């Protein structure tokens, strides 16, 4: 584990259990100061078992304590002097403890507004907020308690940021958008740019065509609920009339595009490079793989999984896993199959002809 | 409709017809102050009919007036007291009126340069321009009338921006690029970064290979014509020798990549997450779907449509619609078909063998 | 060639050979001042032959000198008064000379920190560095000799930048990342954002599901070796525990996503819009095409080539070219084949039935 996570501070297992729950088996006064994998941990470190594959390492680990599930603890041969915190979800427990150690190791930042920031007098910034260098906050914006705006962030007119929001450097939030409590947005992401909408206003055909595209004003905004995280350089467009909506605890990776008037249901996760066209409605607890494309104006049920690089062109009304991608194979082999694929109807016609010929013979 | 679009101001149908054209059927002195869908509009609002599906709503709408085409007006049963503006393209008319209402409702911004902006003395900025906080304009740049540069925009050496250009926050325009009148670029987009060009300078093979990639200097620029709109975090590379060219009224969505020395023909639209490799020439009035990939050094005729997620590896010399993407289906079903697909040549060989066997029998 | 590359300064072939190598055939005192294609060059310009296709142009060019390989020189009929610089790799030689001409033509920038930049007193910036407007450098950062940080760049706590690094406008480097000498990063790229990692902590199923995603702290960093170039708006995530590693001379295009804990081997090139999921290990000298998707936790051998838009879901242990993309064809034709493709198992079953029927007949 990188040095950034260690700290001089150590904590007893009893104190961990008090803060994060779990039952202690062993010495509750054992102290740990950081986290490490089972095979690398020393007696001052906390390890975790989340995957059966690593069960044998519990027999040999030198960790000060191990996070383990009740079921896995039963599989472990008795170990003199090894301590456990027993919890139903050791991986989530590990994540929470790791965050606590990081918070302790991270230099405290003083609340206040950097001298170079540009805050409109008509904006309202909580005294506990930390506003970085070269930040811009426009009129009517409301910045909640303990919000962190890193260097170069731009907050448009009338934007509302809930408590404990953290916007990393160079994030842009367009006018009128709303972010709930604890929302995290990574560097370069753009919330609330105009949706892609143009009315064709052309006359004539071919070379004689005249006219132009007329921009459809985008007067909705983006409404992001609590506990959402948005990756670097991701873009979420504002709605045309109504808002684009991201529900609570949605997690979106880097370089994802979400079109105007989409609704992304709570707890759904969207991996990097995915693109979702406008007015699409994605259910709760969905998992959208990397580079997936989803057409506009479709609906995905709750609990839909779309595997990486697949394309969704119609609504998926039932939970389950959906796919349309091929794995790469040897280039020459692929080309051979691809050539036949382009003429599958001819292959089918040959089968039909064979069937007819056999049928005819039968009649002989 | 979001509150941002309403305004205290109202306007007579006569005045709308004077500004935007169309013929009034009904009371030319009727006043409207905002827009709304047919089923939600009240007597102070303007609605529009652009889709036959909503024709019955015209019978029941309470709108102050309805934008309608001559053909559709004939289908409407006489409605006492309902007013119409008759226009060949109600949707485009609606877009223009909506923009006008927004302009009225948007707080006026005073021309001038924000105190925190950094303008090189060798740059020329029109007095009517609005230069936001933390903007950087380098030497030799020329900024046209009424240009808006939002917070954090960076304009490189010698860049020329036409009148009424609007660059949203944190846009970067590299040195020497040119943007025509009324160009809109959304937040985080990058115009004129170096194209991806490296000369291999390696000796030997495998583990014994030595040498490196030598950067090919990119000394062209990007030349963007009037009325182009470019989405958030989109990237358009500068040319290697000659310029990358985006012709008039091209509309490009978010997270699109356009390689060096491409030419994108006038009125073409490109949806989000598409990628176009270098030196490719796209015709006029094309429609490139979301996440489409187009290889380098190919040419697309005018009026080509490529559907979402398709890949173009060769020139398309005729107008028409092109596709190479599959829609996602149940994962298990897909895997079954995909396994056969990888061995299509074997399937074909079995058909050949059957054909040969039948032929032989015939001979018996 | 755009005017940006020309300069008043000219140079003798002898001086070029002294600086860049190669053997002169002809007049070593011939002077050239810029570069041009064979068919456009005049007597003050240097041209190059890198492609057999252009061999005939050598017979007619008016260039002051031509860069040529020894093998190609033998194919050229004697040309009175035409001068050559003979070098094994004329294209790489051309690139190096072009860069030299550009450096001469580019206005010199004075070292120093722009008045509007915000440099933490705990950061260390070399006196030869050029720090642009509105740049932010946080505590503990170390900025090497002749580094250029363009306007709006943000450098996090403890970041180390090697000598001659150039970060274009609005690049963000998160805390703790390390960039080697001569690394170039184009505008808007984000180095070191949090990897996409969340532990599921849910109970119950369907509508009754409760709980949430728990963020896995990302405490690794990004370690980028010498001579790497990274494209505009590309994102490279920091590692979860260990670092994400980009080895020397890797070249990455625009809008590429590289997940946490990836390793990209030296000299590998990655084209635009590609996405590589977490913990994937790509060999040396690989070529990853545009919009390629690579799954997490896989390994690619050295010298693997993946063609554009292909998807890699498993490790590729042998060098060679891999593919899984189809080229777009006429939409109606595609749909016909795609419908059969979705039922390939039925096609196969019909073949099986035919084979069985024929076998049976044989037995008759």
């Amino acid at each position: 584990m990188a040095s950034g996570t260690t700290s001089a501070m150590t904590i007893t297992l009893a104190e961990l259990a008090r803060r994060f729950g779990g039952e202690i088996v062993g010495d509750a006064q054992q102290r740990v100061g950081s986290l490490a994998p089972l095979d690398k941990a020393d007696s001052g470190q906390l390890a975790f078992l989340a995957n059966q594959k690593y069960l044998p390492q519990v027999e040999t680990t030198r960790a000060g304590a191990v996070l383990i599930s009740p079921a896995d603890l039963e599989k472990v041969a008795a170990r003199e002097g090894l301590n456990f915190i027993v919890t139903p979800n050791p991986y989530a427990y590990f994540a929470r403890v790791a965050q606590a150690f990081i918070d302790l190791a991270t230099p405290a930042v003083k609340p206040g507004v950097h001298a170079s920031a540009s805050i409109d007098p008509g904006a309202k910034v909580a005294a506990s907020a930390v506003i970085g260098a070269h930040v811009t906050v426009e009129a009517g914006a409301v910045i909640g308690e303990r919000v962190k705006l890193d260097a170069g962030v731009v907050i448009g007119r009338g934007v509302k940021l809930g408590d404990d929001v953290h916007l990393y450097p160079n994030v842009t939030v367009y006018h009128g958008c709303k972010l709930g409590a604890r929302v995290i947005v990574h560097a370069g992401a753009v919330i609330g740019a105009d949706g892609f909408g143009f009315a064709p206003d052309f006359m004539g055909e071919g070379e004689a065509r005249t006219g132009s595209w007329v921009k459809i004003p985008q007067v909705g905004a983006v409404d992001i609920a609590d506990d959402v995280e948005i990756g670097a350089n991701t873009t979420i467009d504002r709605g045309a009339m109504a808002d684009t909506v991201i529900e609570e605890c949605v997690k979106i990776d880097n370089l994802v595009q979400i079109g105007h008037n989409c609704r992304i249901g709570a707890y759904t996760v969207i991996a990097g490079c995915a693109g979702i066209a406008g007015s699409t409605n994605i259910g709760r607890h969905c998992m959208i793989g990397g580079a997936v494309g989803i057409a506009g104006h479709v609906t995905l049920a709750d609990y839909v999984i779309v595997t990486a690089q697949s394309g969704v062109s119609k609504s998926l009304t039932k939970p389950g896993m959906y796919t349309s991608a091929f794995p790469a194979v040897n280039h020459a082999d692929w080309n051979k199959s691809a050539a036949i694929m382009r003429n599958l109807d001819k292959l089918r016609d040959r089968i039909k002809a064979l069937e007819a010929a056999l049928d005819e013979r039968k009649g002989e």
Side-chain angles (χ1 to χ4, degrees), chain A residues 9-339:
Chain A
M9 181 285 244
T10 61
I11 192 168
T12 62
L13 302 188
E15 173 65 12
L16 282 175
R18 196 188 61 76
R19 284 182 62 184
F20 301 103
E23 191 195 334
I24 297 162
V25 173
D27 177 8
Q29 293 312 307
Q30 170 73 38
R31 301 188 81 89
V32 290
S34 62
L35 293 140
L38 281 164
D39 60 341
K40 289 185 182 147
D42 64 35
S43 64
Q45 292 183 303
L46 180 66
F48 70 99
L49 177 71
N51 186 328
Q52 294 285 324
K53 185 162 80 169
Y54 299 113
L55 198 58
Q57 294 187 358
V58 178
E59 320 270 319
T60 55
T61 186
R62 309 172 62 125
V66 177
L67 297 165
I68 198 163
S69 71
D72 283 344
L73 184 62
E74 288 187 16
K75 297 177 197 153
V76 176
R79 271 280 314 274
E80 190 80 23
L82 181 54
N83 309 302
F84 296 96
I85 297 178
V86 187
T87 169
N89 191 338
Y91 190 43
Y93 197 109
F94 149 78
R96 291 192 175 97
V97 176
Q99 189 58 55
F101 282 130
I102 286 167
D103 292 346
L104 286 163
T106 304
V109 191
K110 278 191 211 153
V113 177
H114 193 278
S116 66
S118 166
I119 314 290
D120 188 280
K124 206 174 134 185
V125 179
S128 58
V130 182
I131 311 297
H134 314 302
V135 165
T136 302
V137 179
E138 299 190 349
V142 178
I143 312 296
E145 298 295 337
R146 296 168 304 278
V147 164
K148 282 192 65 182
L149 302 185
D150 289 353
V153 163
V154 179
I155 302 295
R157 280 178 291 115
V159 166
K160 310 273 180 268
L161 301 183
D163 295 343
D164 300 294
V165 162
H166 185 179
L167 307 189
Y168 280 87
N170 292 325
V171 163
T172 298
V173 183
Y174 278 55
H175 61 95
C177 295
K178 221 164 71 185
L179 279 68
R182 295 172 301 279
V183 167
I184 297 171
V185 184
H186 284 282
V190 176
I191 311 298
D194 282 352
F196 196 60
F198 302 90
D201 192 27
F202 294 100
M203 308 250 299
E205 293 298 322
E207 306 241 330
R209 202 183 201 190
T210 59
S212 72
W213 294 102
V214 182
K215 183 174 175 67
I216 310 290
Q218 304 290 305
V219 300
V222 181
D223 185 350
I224 299 178
D226 295 347
D227 297 304
V228 168
E229 182 160 345
I230 295 170
N233 283 345
T234 279
T235 57
I236 303 180
D237 279 351
R238 67 191 311 106
M241 289 207 184
D243 290 349
T244 302
V245 175
I246 313 292
E247 295 185 354
E248 71 268 20
C249 210
V250 165
K251 307 297 184 184
I252 302 176
D253 199 355
N254 298 347
L255 291 172
V256 170
Q257 150 70 357
I258 297 184
H260 51 178
N261 297 106
C262 284
R263 183 191 72 97
I264 312 294
Y267 305 100
T268 284
V269 296
I270 303 179
C273 305
I276 303 176
S279 299
T280 276
N281 193 324
I282 295 190
R284 295 161 60 94
H285 296 291
C286 291
M287 305 185 81
I288 309 300
V292 162
I294 304 184
H297 297 273
V298 305
T299 296
L300 271 62
D302 296 348
Y303 293 96
V304 160
I305 298 169
V306 185
T307 64
Q309 281 202 315
S310 298
V312 177
S313 59
K314 288 182 190 164
S315 291
L316 301 173
T317 57
K318 288 182 189 161
M321 191 182 289
Y322 297 87
T323 302
S324 69
F326 293 99
V329 296
N330 175 286
H331 179 68
D333 290 347
W334 175 264
N335 279 355
K336 218 160 39 179
S337 290

